């Protein structure tokens, strides 16, 4: 499992530069238990936008039938809660378009999978 933070380009980010790395690291601590890798390396995070009142995270799953959707979303919100200012609310949006494909995986994840 890759626990190292991914590059800033792993997912689109909009917001204060000082929150980019803590948010990236927080999401990199969230593991998809079905593949034993973090959700950033798997490519499940589609984007993060920080606005005046909220952190909006767009993410997907490898399948709409994923049995651990609630666990992954809860873990992501828990990890983000540790690093974002308390006045910001966390808004997690599950999206299915574009559909996830293995092409979204990081080079580390592909190596881990033997690809």
């Amino acid at each position: 499992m890759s626990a190292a933070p991914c590059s800033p380009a792993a997912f689109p980010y909009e917001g204060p530069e000082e929150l980019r790395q803590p948010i990236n690291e927080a999401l990199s601590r969230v593991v998809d238990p079905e593949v034993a890798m973090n959700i950033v390396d798997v490519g499940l995070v589609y984007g993060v936008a920080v606005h005046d009142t909220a952190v909006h995270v767009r993410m997907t799953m490898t399948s709409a039938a994923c049995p651990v959707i609630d666990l992954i979303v809860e873990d992501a919100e828990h990890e983000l809660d540790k690093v974002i200012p308390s006045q910001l609310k966390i808004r997690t949006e599950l999206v299915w378009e574009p559909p996830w494909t293995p092409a979204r995986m990081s080079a580390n994840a592909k190596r881990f999978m033997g690809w």
Side-chain angles (χ1 to χ4, degrees):
M1 167 175 57
S2 174
C6 63
S7 70
F11 55 82
Y13 173 82
E14 174 188 322
E17 195 57 38
E18 64 270 13
L19 290 178
R20 180 190 299 265
Q21 183 174 347
I23 287 172
N24 186 54
E25 290 173 355
L27 292 172
S28 293
R29 289 191 294 269
V30 178
V31 173
D32 179 336
E34 291 192 306
V35 293
M37 287 183 282
N38 76 65
I39 64 172
V40 173
D41 279 343
V42 177
L44 300 182
V45 180
Y46 279 12
V48 174
V50 180
H51 300 290
D52 294 338
T53 61
V55 175
H56 181 217
V57 180
R58 292 179 61 247
M59 60 189 301
T60 195
M61 298 294 139
T62 56
S63 160
C66 176
V68 292
I69 290 173
D70 292 340
L71 174 68
I72 292 171
V73 170
E74 182 179 302
D75 286 353
E77 290 175 350
H78 177 74
E79 289 299 329
L80 287 168
D81 196 42
K82 294 177 182 179
V83 300
I84 62 168
S86 60
Q87 72 270 19
L88 296 177
K89 296 196 183 306
I90 300 166
R91 304 279 187 231
T92 306
E93 177 187 6
L94 276 176
V95 296
W96 304 107
E97 293 295 326
W100 179 87
T101 69
R104 293 195 49 83
M105 295 172 72
S106 71
N108 286 340
K110 289 176 183 173
R111 272 194 301 279
F112 179 82
M113 300 295 285
W115 298 349

